[in-house]
Amino acid sequence: MITLQDYQQYLQFSLVEYREFQLRYLKEFVKQVAQNSKHFKEQSIKVEINSYEEFALLPLLEQEDLREKNIEEFRACPWEDICTVTRSSGTTGKSKIVLWSHEALTWEKKWGALGLLLSGLTRGSRYAILMPLEMSRISSIIGVCKSIGATAIPIGRITSEVDEYNAIELIKRTGATHILATSTRLHSIGQKILDSDINTKTDIQVRHLITGGIQSTDIQRTHLEEMWHADIFEQIGANELSYIGFECEEHNGLHILPGSHYVEVVDQKTKKPILDNQTPGEVLITAFSNLATPLLRYRIGDLGYINYEKCACGLSFPRLFIKGRTMGTISLGGTKIFSYQIENILNQFLPRTTLNYKVIVKKKGNIDLISILIEASENFIKDKNLSKQILNAFLNDSASIYKILNKIKAGEVELKIKLVAKNSLERSSGDKIKKQFGDLRTGF
């Protein structure tokens, strides 16, 4: 069985050694892609790169390319080297189809095991998977669990209250010790457990919650940890990219694993690399282990920053901090509302509200009308006082950069808070709110 001892060679990397290790694989990856992929041949990318500076001059890959182009245009290895296919749900358009080589899955197993070990899984752990992943991704997690001697408990998509109760029953009866889920799903299921006669201290064995997506705020983490009597370990990955980064016991950023992915943060306008330790930008991912569908400087749609300082846990792996989505914003005359800013405020009102919301902006004469629809617990849907408290929190949040109070006073903006029933906002198959930021103003 694999343990952390098997990774000592990498765990002892200095930052210089880490970057040399990744550059070596990036050079070979770019060479193979430039020579063998039709899509990248058409981009006329440089075959030989010798530095990260040269790599940063290569073109970016759009998600739309994966939706619209034939998979044959990306392939940079023989079909005999390809063993499986994944696709997105297609709720925002055509599915993104990604081919996987045998080598890529081998690397995924190796580095996925390291990530789960950093997140507290060991031999004998029981890992409940509540993420809405497709079959090939579930199979991969099962393989990773097997390699470290853990048991995978696939639960899958949850689309109804019955599904939630069935998930709780399975978690309870199998004695699950770890759960992989989104923060909102953990909150929803945790609340149902609290409303039942199940005791999370004695009836539920879960000790670690592994979450994906936007990093939780301190308030949200504390709430979930108290709700479940468990520690939170965050991770980042995607159907088309697999494991990218994991949180360690210090809970201070996502360690970017040395193998299989190179992560960049670039300025949203200039696309030039941001190299300091705290300035957010657009996150780009290069999956340098998969030549079946090469993802070179791939725009995953996340905003974040990378900290290159050594972690208190002793690792020199750079740490990624996800702060929101590039599409998760609304522009208001030079200022912006970001998704993570909304979530920071809603965290203050858990469990009366949830973190499920939808933002709609439209014109009302010469005024920008912002409506924020927030799913709330049943007893608070008609609570006007709660709506007023949330509104005041938005208007007085000192951490906000959008400062819409002056615009409201000037009669340029009107902000409305509307509480709606749980699960009433339309979801995709990935448990995300559909069209979460809707701008209905003409010309935007």
Side-chain angles (χ1 to χ4, degrees):
M1 300 298 174
I2 297 175
T3 68
L4 284 175
Q5 289 296 322
D6 297 301
Y7 294 92
Q8 285 306 305
Q9 170 190 351
Y10 310 104
L11 298 177
Q12 294 172 2
F13 272 170
S14 66
L15 180 59
V16 171
E17 290 171 326
Y18 174 99
R19 288 178 64 79
E20 288 176 347
F21 177 85
Q22 288 212 316
L23 183 58
R24 184 165 67 251
Y25 284 99
L26 281 177
K27 287 179 180 179
E28 182 59 29
F29 174 74
V30 171
K31 181 179 180 179
Q32 293 296 326
V33 167
Q35 292 176 337
N36 300 306
S37 168
K38 179 182 177 182
H39 171 82
F40 291 104
K41 281 182 180 179
E42 292 173 351
Q43 300 284 324
S44 299
I45 69 170
K46 192 175 182 180
V47 175
E48 299 283 348
I49 63 160
N50 296 300
S51 67
Y52 284 110
E53 289 74 21
E54 289 183 352
F55 182 83
L57 298 175
L58 300 177
L60 277 55
L61 178 64
E62 307 287 341
Q63 293 191 33
E64 205 59 31
D65 289 329
L66 294 186
R67 292 193 178 99
E68 297 298 332
K69 292 195 172 186
N70 190 300
I71 55 175
E72 283 291 339
E73 295 190 43
F74 294 98
R75 184 170 58 87
C77 69
W79 268 102
E80 308 90 80
D81 293 346
I82 297 170
C83 59
T84 191
V85 180
T86 60
R87 67 177 181 87
S88 65
S89 61
T91 53
T92 57
K94 292 182 180 179
S95 296
K96 291 175 288 187
I97 298 176
V98 173
L99 308 176
W100 291 76
S101 67
H102 291 280
E103 181 181 16
L105 291 186
T106 299
W107 278 63
E108 178 184 52
K109 181 178 178 180
K110 174 179 178 177
W111 297 106
L114 172 57
L116 291 184
L117 288 167
L118 290 175
S119 298
L121 264 76
T122 59
R123 183 176 183 179
S125 296
R126 303 173 193 180
Y127 192 36
I129 306 162
L130 272 71
M131 297 290 277
L133 302 173
E134 62 169 21
M135 183 176 63
S136 59
R137 297 293 85 209
I138 292 290
S139 298
S140 174
I141 295 177
I142 292 173
V144 172
C145 286
K146 182 179 179 181
S147 72
I148 62 178
T151 300
I153 307 168
I155 296 176
R157 288 186 171 89
I158 294 177
T159 59
S160 68
E161 193 169 304
V162 172
D163 289 342
E164 287 192 324
Y165 282 117
N166 287 337
I168 292 169
E169 184 68 10
L170 190 55
I171 289 168
K172 179 181 175 183
R173 293 180 65 180
T174 59
T177 59
H178 296 68
I179 297 179
L180 171 65
T182 62
S183 297
T184 51
R185 178 61 65 197
L186 288 169
H187 177 266
S188 178
I189 290 181
Q191 192 60 50
K192 279 190 168 48
I193 291 175
L194 292 179
D195 293 340
S196 70
D197 58 357
I198 299 173
N199 188 315
T200 51
K201 281 187 177 180
T202 58
D203 300 332
I204 301 290
Q205 305 302 313
V206 175
R207 294 297 174 260
H208 285 184
L209 305 172
I210 301 175
T211 64
I214 297 174
Q215 288 183 275
S216 307
T217 64
D218 291 341
I219 294 173
Q220 184 182 357
R221 290 183 76 114
T222 299
H223 179 74
L224 285 174
E225 287 175 345
E226 290 176 350
M227 175 182 277
W228 284 90
H229 300 285
D231 292 330
I232 290 180
F233 287 80
E234 296 185 329
Q235 69 167 31
I236 179 174
N239 266 337
E240 62 264 43
L241 289 161
S242 183
Y243 306 104
I244 299 168
F246 288 81
E247 207 174 57
C248 69
E249 59 188 9
E250 293 295 324
H251 307 292
N252 188 21
L254 302 159
H255 284 293
I256 303 168
L257 305 177
S260 74
H261 294 94
Y262 171 58
V263 181
E264 303 168 80
V265 171
V266 299
D267 183 273
Q268 283 188 271
K269 292 182 178 180
T270 67
K271 305 306 177 188
K272 292 183 178 180
I274 297 174
L275 300 177
D276 65 47
N277 285 329
Q278 58 184 4
T279 302
E282 181 177 356
V283 178
L284 307 178
I285 307 289
T286 296
F288 56 74
S289 66
N290 191 16
L291 291 172
T293 301
L295 300 180
L296 175 62
R297 308 197 76 208
Y298 179 59
R299 304 179 70 180
I300 62 172
D302 282 339
L303 291 171
Y305 65 91
I306 298 176
N307 188 307
Y308 294 92
E309 297 174 352
K310 189 173 185 177
C311 181
C313 75
L315 287 179
S316 293
F317 300 172
R319 285 167 287 147
L320 177 63
F321 293 78
I322 298 297
K323 303 303 294 182
R325 299 285 294 171
T326 55
M327 296 301 292
T329 63
I330 289 291
S331 297
L332 290 169
T335 58
K336 290 184 178 181
I337 301 176
F338 289 88
S339 56
Y340 72 88
Q341 292 170 320
I342 294 175
E343 286 147 18
N344 285 347
I345 291 172
L346 295 184
N347 280 325
Q348 303 169 34
F349 299 95
L350 299 173
R352 290 177 290 173
T353 68
T354 70
L355 295 179
N356 297 314
Y357 65 92
K358 185 180 183 74
V359 181
I360 300 173
V361 181
K362 55 187 176 182
K363 278 291 184 183
K364 181 183 176 183
N366 294 322
I367 298 173
D368 287 322
L369 175 60
I370 308 173
S371 298
I372 303 180
L373 285 60
I374 306 164
E375 291 187 356
S377 299
E378 184 177 355
N379 296 335
F380 294 96
I381 295 173
K382 297 182 179 180
D383 190 334
K384 293 183 179 179
N385 186 51
L386 177 57
S387 297
K388 187 176 180 180
Q389 289 177 23
I390 297 172
L391 178 61
N392 287 334
F394 274 99
L395 299 180
N396 295 290
D397 180 26
S398 61
S400 299
I401 65 168
Y402 46 92
K403 300 296 182 186
I404 61 174
L405 182 57
N406 290 336
K407 292 181 180 293
I408 290 175
K409 287 181 177 179
E412 299 173 10
V413 171
E414 182 179 345
L415 176 62
K416 286 188 175 182
I417 302 296
K418 183 178 181 181
L419 302 178
V420 298
K422 282 185 178 180
N423 300 314
S424 63
L425 298 177
E426 188 179 6
R427 267 111 164 134
S428 70
S429 60
D431 198 33
K432 296 179 181 178
I433 304 299
K434 277 190 176 182
K435 299 180 180 177
Q436 189 171 34
F437 283 72
D439 197 333
L440 306 182
R441 297 170 294 177
T442 57
F444 287 83

